[in-house]
Amino acid sequence: MAISASVRMGAPPARVRAWFLDLEAHPERYRFATHGGFAFVRGRFGQVGAQFETRERFFGLPVRLLFELTEVGSDGFRFRLLRPSLPIQGRFALQPTPDGATTLSLEVTGLTRWGALLLSLPLIRWAVRRQIAREVAHVKASVEADAGQAVLR
């Protein structure tokens, strides 16, 4: 069972990808209502096997999550949750639109039947859907703000 959220932003996919790649140098860009921090703990963003940690809030409780990049491409990247040890993966997808903009999608799925079952629980499903909707909205706002700053320079 997949849980997903998407936004359309007025930036080309290359700019959105560059924003993600720049997180290593500017992890503060990934702080917003549900995310209190972001850090690479092994490797570099854009490399399969790189690991990053986030500090998030679920149901008002602080949680540290450790992820590993499992696929990286020009059209997005896939990651899996390492800690806590749950069979869950996610994928950010960058789809170009005919007018040169980007649709950014974040999809979270279970890697096993147990992971799918966990994500199908109504309260968990609601929390994850809320979390990833805020996440893609934050990326959109941040990418578009960066583009506005570049125009002002």
Side-chain angles (χ1 to χ4, degrees), residues 70-146:
T70 57
E71 291 178 29
V72 177
S74 60
D75 63 342
F77 58 92
R78 188 175 302 275
F79 53 91
R80 68 182 172 123
L81 181 62
L82 297 177
R83 188 180 64 225
S85 183
L86 296 171
I88 295 179
Q89 68 179 352
R91 183 174 197 284
F92 275 101
L94 310 172
Q95 296 295 322
T97 63
D99 62 349
T102 304
T103 298
L104 173 68
S105 301
L106 174 54
E107 181 179 86
V108 175
T109 59
L111 286 166
T112 64
R113 291 176 71 186
W114 161 239
L117 176 65
L118 180 66
L119 292 174
S120 73
L121 297 173
L123 197 54
I124 299 295
R125 187 169 184 76
W126 172 83
V128 171
R129 180 177 290 134
R130 181 174 152 240
Q131 192 87 348
I132 66 175
R134 288 179 173 179
E135 200 158 348
V136 295
H138 170 75
V139 173
K140 171 188 168 78
S142 186
V143 168
E144 290 178 348
D146 285 353

Side-chain angles (χ1 to χ4, degrees), residues 20-31 35-45 49-56 63-69 82-83:
F20 277 107
L21 291 173
D22 204 33
L23 284 176
E24 188 173 341
H26 298 282
E28 71 280 0
R29 290 181 178 173
Y30 223 81
R31 287 193 182 115
H35 284 61
F38 176 93
F40 273 90
V41 295
R42 189 178 86 191
R44 300 179 58 98
F45 199 81
Q51 293 180 0
F52 59 96
E53 182 178 75
T54 63
R55 292 187 318 270
E56 302 182 26
V63 178
R64 284 185 180 246
L65 303 173
L66 179 66
F67 299 94
E68 180 178 56
L69 291 175
L82 297 177
R83 188 180 64 225

